[in-house]
Amino acid sequence: MSPTNTFHDQNAETSPLTNPTLVLNCGSSSIKYALISEDESTRITGLAENLGLDTARIKHTTLNNEKLEIPISGGRHKLALQKILELLEQYHFVAVGHRVVHGGREYSEAVRVDEHVLSEVKRLKILAPLHNPAHALGIEAVQAIYPNVPQVVVFDTAFHQTMPPVAYRYPIPKALFDEHKIRRYGFHGTSHAYVSERASDITDAKGTHGWLTAHLGNGCSATAVYDGKSLDTSMGLTPLEGLMMGTRSGDVDPSLHMHLKRQLDMSLEDIDAMLNHESGLMGVSGLSNDLRTVEQAANEGHADAMLAVEMFCYRVGKYLAGLSCALPEFTGIVFTGGIGENSATTRTRILEVMRHFGIKVDAAKNAKLVGGSEGSIHAEDSSIELWVVPTDEECRIAQETRAALNLA
């Protein structure tokens, strides 16, 4: 039985949303969604945020770009999903694609949901405790209301399954890999896949392309992509490894846990929470996890903010330089994510770290590429190309969903 509508879009009857795919991204306290037409030209978007709190609400953008805000005080994932499905029911979506953070090493591509797939999503909460349980809730909520609508899971980790053992293995006892699947998995796969493919579409460079893709936002990762395949990436078993992020530390000495236990009697849980939620830009600056706030303070002479910005850019540049070793051919660097797409000064600082590469930035082009703009920022005499490509993970998930169901 379908839900009762609480909202009806007068444009639905003449909607250009032909055979749309619903994309759901269920996070620990939010649900991002998009309904995307078959030709990808039209979409409805929204966000359910602050789930479980009195401020829980859905921000919904209609076909004609009208902004709606629907309070769901105290609402959790299940109620929010029911409301979202009510809002979109009239458009008769033909499939649902779910972004799932961790797919382990079994899945190297998007796959249709069945009992085994759902059980694996739930089992892998051991590797993604904040995200995979929420993803499973999303799948089950759709099953309960629309049991006949096919669902597909698109794993963040799947794109990185092409990494060779030299990149994904840790130098630890082999039994931990064989028996417990302890290895590097990588994340942000849909974003790295989308922007690297887009860069290959818009470049004039001939031959096989090798890109370093830098997804820089509150969460940050970098990937070496050659001929459309991930060869190495910065995140590992969990999203904590790699770059300095908004609240995540990125790489630290593995013995830090033992040191803090001995010196401060901190528990493993407390250390894990600190490294994931109290570190990165937030931890170093003492101000915010938002680079815009930290940069403003740095420009006003705040010493810790200045160091936080410098550390962030240095670590990204150092990682990109290292990841270039994975590429047989180095075509260029692609910046994406909230920071990568909007902070021209951060892009410049990162590239200055890679000063031995012969990279030349066109300052005028770089300054103009903000707010969702796409284009190149390299000078004519640059050794490699430099691109800013706004990521579109929802579009990529919709594409992979249709392909998995042979709807493409």
Side-chain angles (χ1 to χ4, degrees):
M1 184 175 180
S2 62
T4 302
N5 284 330
T6 56
F7 164 79
H8 184 79
D9 188 339
Q10 61 184 357
N11 296 317
E13 299 303 325
T14 58
S15 167
L17 279 166
T18 306
N19 296 325
T21 299
L22 172 60
V23 174
L24 289 176
N25 181 354
C26 297
S28 56
S29 61
S30 66
I31 302 170
K32 189 176 181 181
Y33 62 92
L35 191 66
I36 302 176
S37 62
E38 189 174 39
D39 64 1
E40 299 170 9
S41 65
T42 311
R43 68 181 69 184
I44 294 172
T45 61
L47 172 69
E49 61 183 4
N50 303 330
L51 298 182
L53 303 176
D54 290 339
T55 53
R57 57 189 175 178
I58 296 173
K59 293 181 175 180
H60 183 82
T61 302
T62 67
L63 267 179
N64 59 3
N65 211 34
E66 181 186 356
K67 308 291 185 182
L68 301 177
E69 190 167 300
I70 303 159
I72 47 171
S73 181
R76 297 188 178 275
H77 286 76
K78 186 174 181 180
L79 176 60
L81 283 161
Q82 289 173 346
K83 293 292 185 183
I84 291 167
L85 293 172
E86 287 176 13
L87 286 167
L88 302 175
E89 178 198 23
Q90 61 196 291
Y91 297 100
H92 308 295
F93 45 87
V94 297
V96 180
H98 297 264
R99 179 240 183 174
V100 175
V101 165
H102 221 303
R105 64 180 182 182
E106 178 177 344
Y107 298 106
S108 59
E109 59 186 4
V111 61
R112 183 168 181 164
V113 173
D114 58 20
E115 288 186 13
H116 173 70
V117 170
L118 179 56
S119 68
E120 280 295 284
V121 171
K122 292 179 177 179
R123 185 183 69 80
L124 287 165
K125 70 179 181 181
I126 191 170
L127 295 176
L130 293 179
H131 294 90
N132 271 42
H135 303 322
L137 279 174
I139 294 168
E140 290 176 329
V142 175
Q143 281 180 338
I145 301 174
Y146 296 104
N148 297 320
V149 173
Q151 299 189 76
V152 169
V153 286
V154 180
F155 298 100
D156 261 9
T157 50
F159 181 63
H160 301 296
Q161 288 297 299
T162 52
M163 288 193 297
V166 68
Y168 71 68
R169 284 288 295 274
Y170 286 117
I172 57 177
K174 187 171 182 289
L176 290 173
F177 171 73
D178 290 338
E179 298 170 23
H180 302 285
K181 302 177 177 63
I182 306 299
R183 51 159 286 179
R184 304 182 66 250
Y185 289 98
F187 299 89
H188 293 145
T190 52
S191 179
H192 291 295
Y194 177 84
V195 300
S196 59
E197 184 177 284
R198 178 62 184 159
S200 287
D201 287 340
I202 57 182
T203 182
D204 290 329
K206 307 302 180 184
T208 305
H209 302 136
W211 302 106
L212 296 180
T213 53
H215 178 106
L216 308 177
N218 188 49
C220 301
S221 64
T223 296
V225 184
Y226 183 71
D227 194 18
K229 298 179 177 63
S230 172
L231 297 185
D232 200 355
T233 193
S234 58
M235 286 179 166
L237 175 72
T238 75
L240 182 59
E241 185 180 349
L243 306 180
M244 177 177 170
M245 310 179 211
T247 63
R248 294 185 187 124
S249 64
D251 290 347
V252 294
D253 186 331
S255 289
L256 177 64
H257 290 73
M258 184 59 71
H259 178 77
L260 292 176
K261 169 64 179 173
R262 289 170 175 163
Q263 296 298 313
L264 302 178
D265 196 30
M266 291 179 68
S267 68
L268 285 175
E269 291 74 18
D270 287 343
I271 297 167
D272 184 68
M274 177 197 72
L275 294 176
N276 276 285
H277 305 296
E278 301 167 16
S279 300
L281 289 169
M282 170 70 83
V284 177
S285 73
L287 298 173
S288 174
N289 65 314
D290 191 319
L291 183 64
R292 292 168 296 186
T293 301
V294 178
E295 276 191 323
Q296 182 178 343
N299 292 336
E300 295 169 356
H302 190 289
D304 289 336
M306 292 167 68
L307 178 60
V309 172
E310 188 176 0
M311 284 178 63
F312 179 87
C313 295
Y314 173 70
R315 285 180 165 229
V316 175
K318 184 173 73 168
Y319 241 105
L320 289 173
L323 284 170
S324 71
C325 298
L327 296 175
E329 300 288 340
F330 189 3
T331 308
I333 299 172
V334 186
F335 291 96
T336 195
I339 296 171
E341 295 169 24
N342 293 294
S343 181
T345 56
T346 300
R347 294 191 295 255
T348 300
R349 287 180 176 133
I350 289 168
L351 294 169
E352 285 173 349
V353 173
M354 303 175 70
R355 55 191 173 277
H356 307 300
F357 282 70
I359 298 169
K360 301 287 181 64
V361 178
D362 184 316
K365 287 183 179 179
N366 188 33
K368 291 179 181 177
L369 284 174
V370 295
S373 298
E374 176 186 87
S376 66
I377 60 172
H378 53 272
E380 287 187 11
D381 58 343
S382 179
S383 62
I384 59 169
E385 297 184 5
L386 305 168
W387 292 90
V388 176
V389 177
T391 192
D392 193 344
E393 294 173 90
E394 289 76 22
C395 181
R396 178 75 186 197
I397 291 169
Q399 290 171 351
E400 294 193 27
T401 297
R402 291 195 299 270
L405 298 171
N406 294 316
L407 298 175

